[in-house]
Amino acid sequence: MRRVNGSVNRKGLVAAALVVPPAACAALALARASFDNANAALVLAVVIVGVAAFGYRPAGLLAAASSAVWFDFFLTVPYHRLTINSRDDVETTILLVLIGVAVSELAIWGRRQQARASRHRGYLDGVLATSQAVAAGGSTQELIDQVSAQLTVVLRLDGARFVAGDNRTTAPRLNPDGTVTRGGRVLKVERDGLPTNAEIELPVQHAGRTRGRFLLTAATHISYPDLQQRQVAAALAGQLAHALAPQPH
């Protein structure tokens, strides 16, 4: 199946879900006297899996429904009618639909896991890039800009700005362990998202001393970063804190 800009051509999948099952059933009907319906169902199952495996749920379900309808029309008695007299054929038709549902959901789950793993690799690459920039001794402002940009991506923010100094505010706080607290209460970010009605403070700390803080803004939308994403954000702030700490002579 052709892909457009890295994604499956959904129109092509829908077309395949509509066209391939009746074509396959019509071809099987030409030789239905030489094999039983269980074998025909296996052929249709391959067709369903082939469409559903791309992870586009509507196409997978459509392929399953189309296969069930045309299996009934071409391959069950009475032929060329949407009627099934055999209990075995009824069970086979139901199984075709269930295969489409199951494979579609498995494919969607697999693609989500793959996308999540890819995002997490990107986050870790960002931490590594910041570590390398710190080791290379880049300018402070460049490091701040780099970390600000990475925080915006990792946490899906509107923006992040750095403020020097160790003044503590009453804003919600993203802690080094990835928790978010407000007034001493831990917020359930996975359920409720990051606060949108206030900037979130991310301390930039090294060796027990606060070198500054990032003020994170997520006002135009609700962001739901998971714990690992929040821990990556804290690690990025820690990398910057190391760069801001006075270096021994």
Side-chain angles (χ1 to χ4, degrees):
M1 183 62 61
R2 186 170 62 90
R3 293 173 177 265
V4 178
N5 295 329
S7 62
V8 175
N9 184 336
R10 293 182 173 183
K11 290 183 179 179
L13 277 176
V14 170
L18 288 172
V19 173
V20 176
C25 289
L28 291 168
L30 297 176
R32 61 190 170 208
S34 61
F35 57 84
D36 58 32
N37 280 352
N39 292 329
L42 289 175
V43 174
L44 291 175
V46 172
V47 171
I48 295 170
V49 170
V51 174
F54 284 93
Y56 182 46
R57 183 184 286 114
L61 298 181
L62 187 58
S66 179
S67 295
V69 168
W70 293 111
F71 174 80
D72 177 11
F73 185 81
F74 281 109
L75 299 170
T76 67
V77 178
Y79 300 124
H80 304 150
R81 292 177 57 188
L82 295 178
T83 303
I84 303 177
N85 292 336
S86 167
R87 178 178 177 179
D88 288 343
D89 288 340
V90 171
E91 292 176 350
T92 300
T93 302
I94 294 172
L95 283 174
L96 288 174
V97 174
L98 293 179
I99 288 171
V101 173
V103 174
S104 293
E105 294 305 316
L106 285 172
I108 291 169
W109 178 84
R111 288 181 178 276
R112 286 175 178 169
Q113 293 299 109
Q114 184 180 35
R116 182 181 179 184
S118 179
R119 286 196 304 270
H120 287 169
R121 283 196 301 270
Y123 302 152
L124 295 178
D125 288 343
V127 175
L128 179 60
T130 302
S131 298
Q132 292 171 339
V134 170
S139 74
T140 299
Q141 189 57 52
E142 288 177 348
L143 288 173
I144 290 173
D145 292 343
Q146 180 177 342
V147 174
S148 295
Q150 290 173 344
L151 289 174
T152 301
V153 172
V154 170
L155 298 177
R156 300 173 188 171
L157 304 170
D158 294 322
R161 62 187 178 92
F162 178 76
V163 178
D166 59 358
N167 293 331
R168 179 68 184 274
T169 71
T170 59
R173 183 182 178 96
L174 174 53
N175 301 296
D177 62 358
T179 60
V180 178
T181 55
R182 188 173 201 169
R185 181 172 61 91
V186 177
L187 303 182
K188 297 181 179 179
V189 177
E190 283 87 351
R191 185 191 70 185
D192 302 324
L194 293 174
T196 59
N197 58 355
E199 291 181 310
I200 304 156
E201 178 181 277
L202 173 58
V204 177
Q205 298 174 326
H206 176 73
R209 294 194 57 184
T210 301
R211 309 294 176 180
R213 64 190 185 278
F214 281 101
L215 296 180
L216 315 175
T217 304
T220 62
H221 65 282
I222 300 177
S223 177
Y224 298 88
D226 61 26
L227 179 60
Q228 186 173 13
Q229 287 171 275
R230 303 194 303 269
Q231 289 173 337
V232 168
L236 288 167
Q239 294 288 347
L240 178 61
H242 179 77
L244 296 178
Q247 301 300 314
H249 297 288

